[in-house]
Tab-separated table of all heavy atoms in Angstrom:
chain	number	residue	atom	x	y	z
T	249	LYS	N	-68.449	-34.093	-37.021
T	249	LYS	CA	-68.463	-34.269	-35.575
T	249	LYS	C	-67.413	-35.312	-35.199
T	249	LYS	O	-67.007	-36.114	-36.021
T	249	LYS	CB	-69.843	-34.730	-35.110
T	249	LYS	CG	-70.914	-33.636	-35.093
T	249	LYS	CD	-72.213	-34.170	-34.525
T	249	LYS	CE	-73.267	-33.103	-34.355
T	249	LYS	NZ	-73.042	-32.142	-33.332
T	250	VAL	N	-67.011	-35.305	-33.919
T	250	VAL	CA	-65.940	-36.226	-33.518
T	250	VAL	C	-66.119	-36.654	-32.098
T	250	VAL	O	-66.488	-35.892	-31.191
T	250	VAL	CB	-64.556	-35.556	-33.746
T	250	VAL	CG1	-64.391	-34.305	-32.931
T	250	VAL	CG2	-63.408	-36.544	-33.472
T	272	TYR	N	-72.950	-43.447	-34.483
T	272	TYR	CA	-72.627	-41.994	-34.387
T	272	TYR	C	-72.300	-41.410	-35.754
T	272	TYR	O	-71.512	-41.971	-36.500
T	272	TYR	CB	-71.443	-41.812	-33.451
T	272	TYR	CG	-71.063	-40.400	-33.171
T	272	TYR	CD1	-71.959	-39.532	-32.547
T	272	TYR	CD2	-69.808	-39.882	-33.513
T	272	TYR	CE1	-71.607	-38.185	-32.311
T	272	TYR	CE2	-69.463	-38.564	-33.268
T	272	TYR	CZ	-70.389	-37.732	-32.657
T	272	TYR	OH	-70.054	-36.410	-32.401
T	327	LEU	N	-64.056	-30.940	-29.597
T	327	LEU	CA	-64.520	-32.344	-29.466
T	327	LEU	C	-66.032	-32.312	-29.138
T	327	LEU	O	-66.494	-31.446	-28.398
T	327	LEU	CB	-63.757	-33.024	-28.308
T	327	LEU	CG	-63.754	-34.509	-28.209
T	327	LEU	CD1	-63.159	-35.179	-29.440
T	327	LEU	CD2	-63.001	-34.950	-26.950
T	328	ASP	N	-66.773	-33.252	-29.777
T	328	ASP	CA	-68.215	-33.283	-29.530
T	328	ASP	C	-68.580	-34.281	-28.452
T	328	ASP	O	-69.514	-34.057	-27.674
T	328	ASP	CB	-68.932	-33.638	-30.842
T	328	ASP	CG	-68.761	-32.572	-31.914
T	328	ASP	OD1	-69.415	-31.528	-31.830
T	328	ASP	OD2	-67.918	-32.802	-32.828
T	329	VAL	N	-67.867	-35.421	-28.419
T	329	VAL	CA	-68.182	-36.460	-27.435
T	329	VAL	C	-66.861	-36.915	-26.823
T	329	VAL	O	-65.918	-37.276	-27.537
T	329	VAL	CB	-68.910	-37.665	-28.094
T	329	VAL	CG1	-68.990	-38.800	-27.091
T	329	VAL	CG2	-70.284	-37.246	-28.592
T	330	LEU	N	-66.802	-36.951	-25.493
T	330	LEU	CA	-65.662	-37.483	-24.746
T	330	LEU	C	-66.182	-38.553	-23.795
T	330	LEU	O	-67.036	-38.272	-22.953
T	330	LEU	CB	-64.963	-36.386	-23.955
T	330	LEU	CG	-63.877	-36.875	-22.992
T	330	LEU	CD1	-62.722	-37.575	-23.735
T	330	LEU	CD2	-63.307	-35.665	-22.133
T	369	LEU	N	-62.496	-30.354	-21.227
T	369	LEU	CA	-63.828	-29.712	-21.102
T	369	LEU	C	-63.882	-28.328	-21.775
T	369	LEU	O	-64.891	-28.007	-22.387
T	369	LEU	CB	-64.193	-29.593	-19.618
T	369	LEU	CG	-64.701	-30.904	-18.936
T	369	LEU	CD1	-65.107	-30.634	-17.494
T	369	LEU	CD2	-65.853	-31.515	-19.706
T	371	ILE	N	-62.630	-27.523	-24.513
T	371	ILE	CA	-62.786	-27.650	-25.977
T	371	ILE	C	-63.992	-28.471	-26.399
T	371	ILE	O	-64.179	-28.788	-27.546
T	371	ILE	CB	-61.463	-28.152	-26.646
T	371	ILE	CG1	-61.261	-29.672	-26.328
T	371	ILE	CG2	-60.286	-27.352	-26.221
T	371	ILE	CD1	-60.276	-30.369	-27.303
T	372	ILE	N	-64.828	-28.870	-25.413
T	372	ILE	CA	-66.068	-29.562	-25.771
T	372	ILE	C	-66.998	-28.547	-26.433
T	372	ILE	O	-67.222	-27.466	-25.916
T	372	ILE	CB	-66.770	-30.171	-24.505
T	372	ILE	CG1	-65.848	-31.205	-23.852
T	372	ILE	CG2	-68.116	-30.806	-24.902
T	372	ILE	CD1	-65.599	-32.469	-24.652
T	373	LYS	N	-67.529	-28.885	-27.596
T	373	LYS	CA	-68.324	-27.952	-28.355
T	373	LYS	C	-69.731	-27.864	-27.788
T	373	LYS	O	-70.212	-28.760	-27.092
T	373	LYS	CB	-68.396	-28.430	-29.829
T	373	LYS	CG	-67.070	-28.401	-30.542
T	373	LYS	CD	-67.258	-28.864	-31.978
T	373	LYS	CE	-65.959	-28.915	-32.722
T	373	LYS	NZ	-66.168	-29.315	-34.161
T	374	PRO	N	-70.436	-26.752	-28.116
T	374	PRO	CA	-71.852	-26.655	-27.724
T	374	PRO	C	-72.610	-27.925	-28.185
T	374	PRO	O	-72.377	-28.429	-29.288
T	374	PRO	CB	-72.348	-25.439	-28.506
T	374	PRO	CG	-71.093	-24.574	-28.643
T	374	PRO	CD	-69.991	-25.540	-28.806
T	375	GLY	N	-73.505	-28.392	-27.321
T	375	GLY	CA	-74.237	-29.609	-27.612
T	375	GLY	C	-73.443	-30.866	-27.347
T	375	GLY	O	-73.881	-31.981	-27.633
T	376	GLY	N	-72.243	-30.705	-26.774
T	376	GLY	CA	-71.349	-31.864	-26.534
T	376	GLY	C	-71.858	-32.774	-25.404
T	376	GLY	O	-72.719	-32.402	-24.630
T	377	ARG	N	-71.283	-33.945	-25.386
T	377	ARG	CA	-71.621	-34.969	-24.357
T	377	ARG	C	-70.311	-35.486	-23.727
T	377	ARG	O	-69.388	-35.832	-24.478
T	377	ARG	CB	-72.357	-36.127	-24.974
T	377	ARG	CG	-73.656	-35.708	-25.761
T	377	ARG	CD	-74.758	-35.288	-24.806
T	377	ARG	NE	-75.986	-34.893	-25.454
T	377	ARG	CZ	-76.408	-33.647	-25.553
T	377	ARG	NH1	-75.680	-32.651	-25.063
T	377	ARG	NH2	-77.569	-33.347	-26.125
T	378	VAL	N	-70.291	-35.517	-22.392
T	378	VAL	CA	-69.144	-36.068	-21.708
T	378	VAL	C	-69.647	-37.220	-20.784
T	378	VAL	O	-70.623	-37.020	-20.045
T	378	VAL	CB	-68.424	-35.005	-20.851
T	378	VAL	CG1	-67.204	-35.581	-20.123
T	378	VAL	CG2	-67.996	-33.826	-21.749
T	379	VAL	N	-69.002	-38.357	-20.897
T	379	VAL	CA	-69.384	-39.535	-20.090
T	379	VAL	C	-68.189	-40.023	-19.325
T	379	VAL	O	-67.171	-40.394	-19.934
T	379	VAL	CB	-69.936	-40.663	-21.023
T	379	VAL	CG1	-70.480	-41.821	-20.133
T	379	VAL	CG2	-71.068	-40.125	-21.929
T	455	LEU	N	-70.398	-26.540	-15.586
T	455	LEU	CA	-70.847	-26.330	-16.967
T	455	LEU	C	-72.158	-25.555	-16.993
T	455	LEU	O	-72.342	-24.662	-17.826
T	455	LEU	CB	-71.010	-27.657	-17.700
T	455	LEU	CG	-69.709	-28.325	-18.196
T	455	LEU	CD1	-69.981	-29.752	-18.616
T	455	LEU	CD2	-69.111	-27.508	-19.374
T	459	ARG	N	-71.400	-22.222	-18.746
T	459	ARG	CA	-71.751	-22.324	-20.156
T	459	ARG	C	-73.188	-22.761	-20.335
T	459	ARG	O	-73.491	-23.710	-21.045
T	459	ARG	CB	-70.803	-23.319	-20.862
T	459	ARG	CG	-69.351	-22.900	-20.835
T	459	ARG	CD	-68.402	-23.948	-21.426
T	459	ARG	NE	-68.682	-24.202	-22.857
T	459	ARG	CZ	-68.026	-25.121	-23.582
T	459	ARG	NH1	-67.084	-25.873	-23.029
T	459	ARG	NH2	-68.298	-25.305	-24.866
T	461	ALA	N	-75.761	-21.799	-22.007
T	461	ALA	CA	-76.351	-21.807	-23.359
T	461	ALA	C	-75.834	-22.957	-24.237
T	461	ALA	O	-76.439	-23.276	-25.248
T	461	ALA	CB	-76.093	-20.485	-24.059
T	462	ASP	N	-74.713	-23.604	-23.788
T	462	ASP	CA	-74.085	-24.609	-24.658
T	462	ASP	C	-74.743	-25.989	-24.578
T	462	ASP	O	-74.418	-26.866	-25.411
T	462	ASP	CB	-72.607	-24.730	-24.344
T	462	ASP	CG	-71.795	-23.505	-24.859
T	462	ASP	OD1	-72.388	-22.719	-25.608
T	462	ASP	OD2	-70.611	-23.397	-24.524
T	463	GLN	N	-75.588	-26.198	-23.587
T	463	GLN	CA	-76.365	-27.431	-23.502
T	463	GLN	C	-75.488	-28.689	-23.558
T	463	GLN	O	-75.814	-29.688	-24.193
T	463	GLN	CB	-77.440	-27.499	-24.626
T	463	GLN	CG	-78.485	-26.384	-24.491
T	463	GLN	CD	-79.634	-26.585	-25.425
T	463	GLN	OE1	-79.458	-26.748	-26.617
T	463	GLN	NE2	-80.851	-26.606	-24.921
T	464	ILE	N	-74.317	-28.592	-22.889
T	464	ILE	CA	-73.455	-29.764	-22.744
T	464	ILE	C	-73.974	-30.633	-21.611
T	464	ILE	O	-74.351	-30.116	-20.554
T	464	ILE	CB	-72.018	-29.336	-22.475
T	464	ILE	CG1	-71.462	-28.525	-23.651
T	464	ILE	CG2	-71.110	-30.560	-22.157
T	464	ILE	CD1	-70.174	-27.809	-23.341
T	465	LEU	N	-74.068	-31.938	-21.844
T	465	LEU	CA	-74.482	-32.877	-20.780
T	465	LEU	C	-73.303	-33.724	-20.378
T	465	LEU	O	-72.627	-34.294	-21.208
T	465	LEU	CB	-75.650	-33.772	-21.279
T	465	LEU	CG	-76.940	-33.013	-21.711
T	465	LEU	CD1	-77.984	-34.011	-22.176
T	465	LEU	CD2	-77.476	-32.201	-20.558
T	466	LEU	N	-73.083	-33.779	-19.056
T	466	LEU	CA	-71.960	-34.561	-18.490
T	466	LEU	C	-72.520	-35.471	-17.404
T	466	LEU	O	-73.201	-34.996	-16.484
T	466	LEU	CB	-70.922	-33.613	-17.937
T	466	LEU	CG	-69.650	-34.214	-17.379
T	466	LEU	CD1	-68.516	-33.201	-17.478
T	466	LEU	CD2	-69.781	-34.657	-15.915
T	467	ASN	N	-72.237	-36.743	-17.497
T	467	ASN	CA	-72.728	-37.702	-16.512
T	467	ASN	C	-71.690	-38.782	-16.179
T	467	ASN	O	-70.753	-38.994	-16.976
T	467	ASN	CB	-73.991	-38.458	-17.079
T	467	ASN	CG	-75.178	-37.493	-17.184
T	467	ASN	OD1	-75.809	-37.153	-16.230
T	467	ASN	ND2	-75.454	-37.067	-18.438
T	497	LEU	N	-75.620	-42.402	-23.113
T	497	LEU	CA	-75.330	-41.039	-22.595
T	497	LEU	C	-74.583	-40.174	-23.609
T	497	LEU	O	-74.752	-38.979	-23.682
T	497	LEU	CB	-74.545	-41.137	-21.275
T	497	LEU	CG	-75.332	-41.696	-20.082
T	497	LEU	CD1	-74.381	-41.967	-18.934
T	497	LEU	CD2	-76.451	-40.731	-19.656
T	498	ALA	N	-73.693	-40.816	-24.401
T	498	ALA	CA	-72.944	-40.107	-25.416
T	498	ALA	C	-73.835	-39.621	-26.538
T	498	ALA	O	-73.533	-38.637	-27.193
T	498	ALA	CB	-71.864	-40.997	-25.989
T	499	LEU	N	-74.947	-40.341	-26.779
T	499	LEU	CA	-75.817	-40.010	-27.879
T	499	LEU	C	-77.134	-39.391	-27.445
T	499	LEU	O	-78.148	-39.448	-28.219
T	499	LEU	CB	-76.097	-41.269	-28.714
T	499	LEU	CG	-74.860	-41.982	-29.313
T	499	LEU	CD1	-75.211	-43.227	-30.105
T	499	LEU	CD2	-74.045	-41.016	-30.183
T	500	LEU	N	-77.197	-38.821	-26.231
T	500	LEU	CA	-78.406	-38.126	-25.814
T	500	LEU	C	-78.768	-37.071	-26.880
T	500	LEU	O	-77.907	-36.344	-27.374
T	500	LEU	CB	-78.216	-37.421	-24.449
T	500	LEU	CG	-78.125	-38.371	-23.250
T	500	LEU	CD1	-77.602	-37.626	-22.021
T	500	LEU	CD2	-79.527	-38.957	-22.953
T	501	PRO	N	-80.061	-37.023	-27.261
T	501	PRO	CA	-80.401	-36.165	-28.403
T	501	PRO	C	-80.163	-34.683	-28.197
T	501	PRO	O	-80.158	-34.180	-27.072
T	501	PRO	CB	-81.905	-36.440	-28.602
T	501	PRO	CG	-82.378	-37.035	-27.313
T	501	PRO	CD	-81.204	-37.732	-26.705
T	502	ALA	N	-79.930	-33.988	-29.303
T	502	ALA	CA	-79.744	-32.550	-29.250
T	502	ALA	C	-80.918	-31.872	-28.568
T	502	ALA	O	-82.084	-32.256	-28.796
T	502	ALA	CB	-79.570	-31.969	-30.653
T	503	GLY	N	-80.646	-30.912	-27.693
T	503	GLY	CA	-81.725	-30.184	-26.992
T	503	GLY	C	-82.168	-30.825	-25.695
T	503	GLY	O	-82.905	-30.258	-24.911
T	504	ALA	N	-81.674	-32.046	-25.412
T	504	ALA	CA	-82.037	-32.732	-24.129
T	504	ALA	C	-81.385	-31.930	-22.990
T	504	ALA	O	-80.316	-31.438	-23.109
T	504	ALA	CB	-81.504	-34.164	-24.158
T	507	PRO	N	-80.356	-36.586	-18.653
T	507	PRO	CA	-79.691	-36.379	-17.353
T	507	PRO	C	-78.437	-35.509	-17.499
T	507	PRO	O	-77.833	-35.463	-18.527
T	507	PRO	CB	-79.320	-37.801	-16.936
T	507	PRO	CG	-79.223	-38.570	-18.203
T	507	PRO	CD	-80.168	-37.967	-19.142
T	508	HIS	N	-78.096	-34.861	-16.383
T	508	HIS	CA	-76.904	-34.039	-16.348
T	508	HIS	C	-76.398	-34.001	-14.910
T	508	HIS	O	-77.136	-33.749	-13.985
T	508	HIS	CB	-77.215	-32.579	-16.770
T	508	HIS	CG	-76.051	-31.626	-16.795
T	508	HIS	ND1	-74.890	-31.890	-17.529
T	508	HIS	CD2	-75.834	-30.479	-16.148
T	508	HIS	CE1	-74.018	-30.905	-17.308
T	508	HIS	NE2	-74.581	-30.050	-16.494
Side-chain angles (χ1 to χ4, degrees):
K249 285 185 175 288
V250 61
Y272 184 62
L327 197 60
D328 297 284
V329 171
L330 171 62
L369 285 182
I371 71 161
I372 300 292
K373 294 182 182 182
R377 305 286 180 254
V378 180
V379 184
L455 281 168
R459 299 176 63 183
D462 286 352
Q463 296 189 307
I464 296 166
L465 298 179
L466 182 154
N467 292 283
L497 291 170
L499 301 180
L500 286 167
H508 181 57

